[in-house]
Amino acid sequence: MSYVIAVAGKGGTGKTTFSAISVSWLVRNTGKAVLAVDADSNANLDLALGTRAEKTIGSIREYLTDNIKNLPAGMSKETWVEMLLQQALVEEKGFDLVSMGRPEGPGCYCYLNNIFRRYLDIMTGNYDYVVMDNEAGMEHLSRRTTTGVNVMFISSDPSVRGVETALRIRDLARELKLNIARMALVVTRVRNGLPDNLRSIAEGANLEIAGAVPDDDTVRDYDEAGKALSELPESSPARRAVEEILAAHVKTGSGGG
Ligand SMILES: Nc1ncnc2c1ncn2[C@@H]1O[C@H](COP(=O)(O)OP(=O)(O)OP(=O)(O)O)[C@@H](O)[C@H]1O
Ligand SMILES: [Mg+2]
């Protein structure tokens, strides 16, 4: 069974930054198989991890839908789908990456979608850790059928509106009956620790607070230069804060969770 970490939250609140730091932390600290899933249709986790995903699950689905009649001779549909999906997997040193791309459109080709889901479940099951960088709408999460999420970090900027959005995401996840064992708030880009009023709002609504990530020029500089956030130096306050949160919330051989 893989241990699944999901990152959700309002746009621009540091989900991809958190995800990229998580992937490199897991690679360094566990030595286990790690899969990064870019579940944001406006994908950019690949860049944050210093790589490129040329194909997405979505683009392959579209290709298949258009070419379902051109199945190579002697090949079953299932084998063909698996072969094509394999092309969406980017293999890097220490981790693999898959980009979901655009979600299924309204013209549902159910047969294909079922193969896709089953295959994705099998694929993610092959890894010890899965890190999913989500979009605020949680489109992809709500489509995951069998596998659960061990911990979902909900990111927020240091604002009342941000924390209220985080609460709505928590409530939506509950409403959709998503299989998520634990949800916790991460307030990013704080200037002087976690503001008291934001702490009170989260506590008053029974949302666990995982921690706060300081506003960090290193992150900005790296993004500006297009450098991988997974390579942030150990001196980066944001990296340190994220790693502390991970150490306290993620189950590894050496504790946490
Ligand atoms: N701790 C931080 N300190 C300073 N800047 C940060 C920090 N975290 C993120 N940023 C900046 O905020 C912006 C958004 O970060 P990021 O892409 O990680 O957020 P996101 O939630 O994934 O956004 P989106 O919703 O667009 O996918 C980036 O320009 C990044 O450089
Ligand atoms: Mg992002």
Side-chain angles (χ1 to χ4, degrees), residues 205-223:
N206 280 320
L207 176 60
E208 181 191 348
I209 298 167
V213 178
D215 192 73
D216 182 351
D217 279 337
T218 336
V219 174
R220 247 188 303 274
D221 292 345
Y222 267 55
D223 266 331

Side-chain angles (χ1 to χ4, degrees), residues 5-241:
I5 300 167
V7 187
K10 194 163 89 117
T13 53
K15 298 181 291 293
T16 300
T17 305
F18 191 99
S19 302
I21 297 173
S22 300
V23 169
S24 62
W25 182 83
L26 285 167
V27 171
R28 265 182 287 109
N29 285 278
T30 69
K32 300 253 179 80
V34 179
L35 176 68
V37 179
D38 193 343
D40 191 331
S41 47
N42 200 351
N44 59 23
L45 181 62
D46 56 348
L47 276 185
L49 289 169
T51 182
R52 282 277 187 191
E54 305 290 345
K55 290 187 177 159
T56 69
I57 299 290
S59 66
I60 290 170
R61 187 193 298 105
E62 275 160 33
Y63 173 80
L64 271 165
T65 308
D66 294 343
N67 290 279
I68 198 79
K69 300 231 163 60
N70 308 326
L71 179 71
M75 194 183 273
S76 77
K77 263 190 200 136
E78 201 121 340
T79 312
W80 194 37
V81 171
E82 280 179 27
M83 208 187 71
L84 285 171
L85 282 179
Q86 201 64 39
Q87 297 176 357
L89 198 66
V90 181
E91 292 176 32
E92 282 293 323
K93 219 169 133 229
F95 68 91
D96 291 351
L97 165 78
V98 66
S99 272
M100 301 300 293
R102 293 217 325 254
E104 300 144 30
C108 155
Y109 200 147
C110 298
Y111 170 78
L112 266 185
N113 289 339
N114 287 338
I115 300 183
F116 266 70
R117 277 194 205 145
R118 193 162 62 240
Y119 181 80
L120 281 174
D121 283 343
I122 294 171
M123 188 167 87
T124 47
N126 286 336
Y127 294 84
D128 300 293
Y129 291 95
V130 176
V131 177
M132 289 183 74
D133 180 11
N134 293 282
E135 55 192 357
M138 297 198 300
E139 280 280 329
H140 287 288
L141 261 188
S142 61
R143 279 160 216 265
R144 285 167 65 83
T145 43
T146 53
T147 343
V149 171
N150 293 79
V151 56
M152 180 160 92
F153 294 105
I154 309 178
S155 68
S156 168
D157 46 25
S159 74
V160 171
R161 279 191 293 144
V163 174
E164 282 178 353
T165 305
L167 291 175
R168 269 201 298 279
I169 290 172
R170 189 267 313 261
D171 295 342
L172 176 65
R174 283 184 179 166
E175 236 169 76
L176 293 171
K177 296 200 167 48
L178 301 182
N179 180 7
I180 303 173
R182 187 177 185 183
M183 290 188 253
L185 175 71
V186 177
V187 181
T188 61
R189 309 178 71 163
V190 300
R191 278 169 305 175
N192 291 303
L194 179 61
D196 286 338
N197 64 323
L198 302 186
R199 179 184 297 280
S200 307
I201 295 172
E203 283 175 354
N206 280 320
L207 176 60
E208 181 191 348
I209 298 167
V213 178
D215 192 73
D216 182 351
D217 279 337
T218 336
V219 174
R220 247 188 303 274
D221 292 345
Y222 267 55
D223 266 331
E224 207 174 282
K227 288 208 273 192
L229 295 170
S230 49
E231 313 265 309
L232 281 169
E234 272 177 68
S235 59
S236 146
R239 171 177 160 180
R240 282 202 209 165

